[in-house]
Amino acid sequence: MTLSRTPLLSDFQAAKVLVVGDVMLDRYWFGDVNRISPEAPVPVAKINKTDHRAGGAANVARNIAALGGQVALLSVVGDDEAADTLADLLRQDGIADYLLRSSSAPTTLKLRVLSRNQQLIRLDFEETPDTGSLKIVAQKYAELVAQYDAVILSDYGKGVLGDVAVMIAAARALGKAVLIDPKGADYDKYAGATLLTPNRAELREAVGGWSSESSLTEKAQKLRDDLDLDALLLTRSEEGMSLYREEQIDHQPTRAQEVYDVSGAGDTVIATMGLCLAAGYDLRDAMHTANAAAGVVVAKLGTAVCSFAELSAALAE
């Protein structure tokens, strides 16, 4: 599949995307393992390097910024050191920060311990946001949505998108594209969105399994129709992507290369799709571009981003 419209940096720089959803701080501890603990049969990691990356909806925002787009991030965080670190990371990437500080729950934190690029353990710290904070999110969203060309709702099931149906309706009433990275088995709450971007496991949870390509097509199209979506984009790992629309289905094969780490690839896909739609590109060209961007990030460790230069090089291959 070839592009009918090659992405231009100037188009991306003029586009404005609002990202709303669950943010988290990805903290990495890197170390060497040379012995087993005398206290228990577990490896001892001597930590010699730490790294922090903005994860979840924040990683979606990072991907948009890396491609040159204007992006704002709306979410709830704790009143803690992890939130300070997140805010610093967003500032470095030029992301407009609407992180609402809550004293009742910590910032969602995922701590990973790695040795020789192998993950030894992941420790999660998270709580559901309080209703007061969610009410402020809704108010801020109502103020912001008219200022952006497209909205991405990044649902990681942590509770920030409690009023997702209201958010969709508000954006659509203003003629804005609404893209959603879904979570859970209940997709009814996403009705009326422009585009959903589930992976295979997420789609299977929502519609059940399938035994053939025709069965998958039937289920995907029924879901798209039932939810009144413009399109449904299924990311299929080694099988590439499939874009389901009312009159057309487009398939995009995966980009052949060494896959290093798929974490965060879904963030890259929806970020690129949202930026392309905000810039006025059609869904087919957006899928082609998103597939190229995802191919770049899976060759990197951890939650990574694709720059516009890397995207251009990938599209030229």
Side-chain angles (χ1 to χ4, degrees):
M1 188 177 91
T2 58
L3 283 166
S4 60
R5 184 176 172 190
T6 303
L8 297 175
L9 180 58
S10 58
D11 288 344
F12 283 0
Q13 288 173 331
K16 300 176 69 176
V17 183
L18 175 61
V19 179
V20 189
D22 304 299
V23 301
M24 56 200 71
L25 180 65
D26 289 315
R27 178 169 285 163
Y28 296 86
W29 287 357
F30 299 92
D32 298 320
V33 173
N34 296 310
R35 63 192 181 98
I36 300 298
S37 171
E39 304 163 354
V42 294
V44 175
K46 184 178 183 298
I47 305 302
N48 51 43
K49 178 188 171 187
T50 62
D51 191 18
H52 296 96
R53 299 180 189 177
N59 191 47
V60 176
R62 287 180 67 225
N63 274 272
I64 294 168
L67 289 169
Q70 301 178 56
V71 59
L73 177 64
L74 174 60
S75 189
V76 179
V77 293
D79 191 10
D80 51 27
E81 173 269 335
D84 295 338
T85 302
L86 256 179
D88 285 342
L89 291 171
L90 297 177
R91 196 175 302 115
Q92 292 168 26
D93 286 332
I95 297 165
D97 164 6
Y98 295 98
L99 297 181
L100 305 174
R101 302 278 184 131
S102 170
S103 58
S104 66
T107 301
T108 298
L109 172 66
K110 294 184 178 182
L111 169 60
R112 297 170 176 86
V113 182
L114 299 95
S115 177
R116 297 178 184 176
N117 292 333
Q118 294 293 314
Q119 191 172 145
L120 302 180
I121 191 170
R122 192 182 94 181
L123 308 173
D124 288 6
F125 305 84
E126 63 185 45
E127 298 290 342
T128 303
D130 61 284
T131 54
S133 295
L134 296 181
K135 190 173 293 186
I136 298 172
V137 166
Q139 293 168 350
K140 197 66 185 177
Y141 177 81
E143 295 173 17
L144 292 171
V145 65
Q147 304 170 30
Y148 293 84
D149 302 310
V151 175
I152 294 177
L153 303 178
S154 181
D155 195 349
Y156 274 79
K158 309 301 183 188
V160 170
L161 294 176
D163 273 338
V164 66
V166 174
M167 291 181 174
I168 294 169
R172 296 295 270 165
L174 293 168
K176 312 293 184 182
V178 179
L179 299 85
I180 303 177
D181 192 355
K183 197 74 172 179
D186 176 21
Y187 279 22
D188 289 346
K189 60 190 174 186
Y190 303 131
T194 305
L195 178 73
L196 255 61
T197 62
N199 60 32
R200 287 181 298 189
E202 289 165 342
L203 184 66
R204 191 175 291 112
E205 186 177 0
V207 303
W210 50 86
S211 55
S212 64
E213 190 67 29
S214 60
S215 172
L216 167 59
T217 297
E218 182 181 339
K219 292 196 172 195
Q221 290 287 42
K222 183 178 186 305
L223 179 65
R224 183 199 54 73
D225 191 50
D226 288 347
L227 297 182
D228 192 27
L229 308 172
D230 288 14
L232 185 144
L233 177 67
L234 176 63
T235 55
R236 308 176 64 172
S237 192
E238 73 280 357
E239 295 176 1
M241 301 177 179
S242 296
L243 180 68
Y244 300 92
R245 287 177 283 177
E246 186 174 4
E247 304 293 341
Q248 185 174 349
I249 303 170
D250 292 297
H251 298 289
Q252 179 75 49
T254 190
R255 299 182 69 84
Q257 54 148 57
E258 182 180 353
V259 174
Y260 194 57
D261 191 340
V262 298
S263 63
D267 296 336
T268 302
V269 169
I270 197 168
T272 310
M273 293 293 296
L275 183 56
C276 285
L277 294 187
Y281 293 53
D282 66 26
L283 280 163
R284 190 169 176 270
D285 281 351
M287 176 177 69
H288 186 95
T289 305
N291 190 54
V296 171
V297 301
V298 298
K300 301 178 181 182
L301 176 64
T303 48
V305 296
C306 172
S307 69
F308 187 85
E310 289 172 324
L311 173 65
S312 296
L315 288 170
E317 290 176 358

